[in-house]
Amino acid sequence: MYEGYWIESKATGKGRLIHADGDVYTGDWKDDKADGHGVYAHLDGAEYKGYWKEDKQHGHGVETWPDGASYDGMYQDGKKHGEGKFKWADGSNYLGNFIENNIEGAGTYTWSDKRVYTGDWKNNKMEGTGTFTWPDGRSYNGDYVDDKKEGNGIFYWPDGRKYDGQWVNGKQDGVGTYTSASGKAKKGEWRDGKRVNWLTDK
């Protein structure tokens, strides 16, 4: 059921549409389509408040869900696209770039336990280069592939120790330099997270 303004038998201007399933859209219309600013309220309590173009979310909008999750950012053709902030029900959040509903590009993800990753993303996974920090003071700065440390990176421990070298599948693997808490550096070789031998410079 539509209540509102019409032009040449088409919903145009301000109006409200009550869908058969109970969802309600209230806002701007153009040629029988949601176009402009409007609010779409779902029967389950979810809601979108923002801009529309040809019946699709387009431009800036805010979406909220009954479990407490929310998204505040840009949309394109009905999908999250551009800069935005997504908050999950557990308290974790992501602030950065989206491409067609996926986390992609540069952004910062903060987990509910205060772990933080700032860097590159691809298809909702850490991919590229970035910095990961833990609440206890540990940190990693380097390459990621498919959510895991892969390539070159530096891992820091709170007591001053660090490993600067190669990583495979989330573990130290290859050649790297280990620096002790006292500042002494030694070059070594690692496999699957374990040091297999020290290397001496000739």
Side-chain angles (χ1 to χ4, degrees), residues 1-7 10-18 25-27 29:
M1 183 177 71
Y2 174 78
E3 301 170 338
Y5 290 89
W6 303 82
I7 292 179
K10 291 184 178 181
T12 300
K14 298 286 183 185
R16 181 171 75 137
L17 178 69
I18 302 170
Y25 171 80
T26 306
W29 293 83

Side-chain angles (χ1 to χ4, degrees), residues 105-117:
T108 298
Y109 193 109
T110 304
W111 281 262
S112 56
D113 62 6
K114 306 305 179 192
R115 289 176 296 142
V116 179
Y117 171 80

Side-chain angles (χ1 to χ4, degrees), residues 71 74 80-85 94-108 119 121-122 124:
Y71 173 78
M74 300 303 294
K80 299 172 194 70
H81 194 93
E83 288 289 314
K85 183 171 186 176
Y94 169 81
L95 175 62
N97 199 61
F98 289 80
I99 294 179
E100 293 188 349
N101 279 341
N102 291 317
I103 292 174
E104 190 149 335
T108 298
W121 294 82
K122 188 175 181 181
N124 300 313

Side-chain angles (χ1 to χ4, degrees), residues 5 11 54-55 67 91 105-106 134 202:
Y5 290 89
E54 294 190 346
D55 261 350
D67 64 0
W134 286 260
K202 294 180 180 178

Side-chain angles (χ1 to χ4, degrees), residues 78-91:
K79 295 178 179 178
K80 299 172 194 70
H81 194 93
E83 288 289 314
K85 183 171 186 176
F86 199 107
K87 292 181 181 177
W88 282 265
D90 67 356

Side-chain angles (χ1 to χ4, degrees), residues 32-193:
D32 274 342
K33 294 178 180 178
D35 204 301
H37 190 272
V39 178
Y40 193 106
H42 295 265
L43 194 61
D44 64 5
E47 182 183 82
Y48 171 82
K49 187 182 293 184
Y51 288 89
W52 298 78
K53 186 177 181 181
E54 294 190 346
D55 261 350
K56 292 179 179 178
Q57 298 147 307
H58 194 92
H60 179 258
V62 177
E63 201 165 358
T64 55
W65 290 270
D67 64 0
S70 66
Y71 173 78
D72 182 342
M74 300 303 294
Y75 289 81
Q76 184 174 299
D77 293 328
K79 295 178 179 178
K80 299 172 194 70
H81 194 93
E83 288 289 314
K85 183 171 186 176
F86 199 107
K87 292 181 181 177
W88 282 265
D90 67 356
S92 57
N93 69 80
Y94 169 81
L95 175 62
N97 199 61
F98 289 80
I99 294 179
E100 293 188 349
N101 279 341
N102 291 317
I103 292 174
E104 190 149 335
T108 298
Y109 193 109
T110 304
W111 281 262
S112 56
D113 62 6
K114 306 305 179 192
R115 289 176 296 142
V116 179
Y117 171 80
T118 299
D120 299 324
W121 294 82
K122 188 175 181 181
N123 198 26
N124 300 313
K125 292 183 176 181
M126 297 177 282
E127 179 126 0
T129 58
T131 300
F132 199 111
T133 58
W134 286 260
D136 62 8
R138 290 175 296 152
S139 68
Y140 170 82
N141 183 281
D143 300 327
Y144 277 88
V145 174
D146 195 27
D147 262 350
K148 294 175 182 175
K149 305 176 197 73
E150 179 120 11
N152 290 294
I154 308 172
F155 192 97
Y156 300 89
W157 284 267
D159 60 7
R161 290 176 296 139
K162 75 173 182 178
Y163 168 84
D164 182 348
Q166 297 173 319
W167 297 77
V168 175
N169 199 29
K171 296 178 179 179
Q172 296 142 299
D173 200 299
V175 176
T177 300
Y178 174 82
T179 305
S180 67
S182 62
K184 187 178 180 182
K186 291 179 79 174
K187 199 171 186 180
E189 192 174 357
W190 278 256
R191 284 288 174 268
D192 199 30

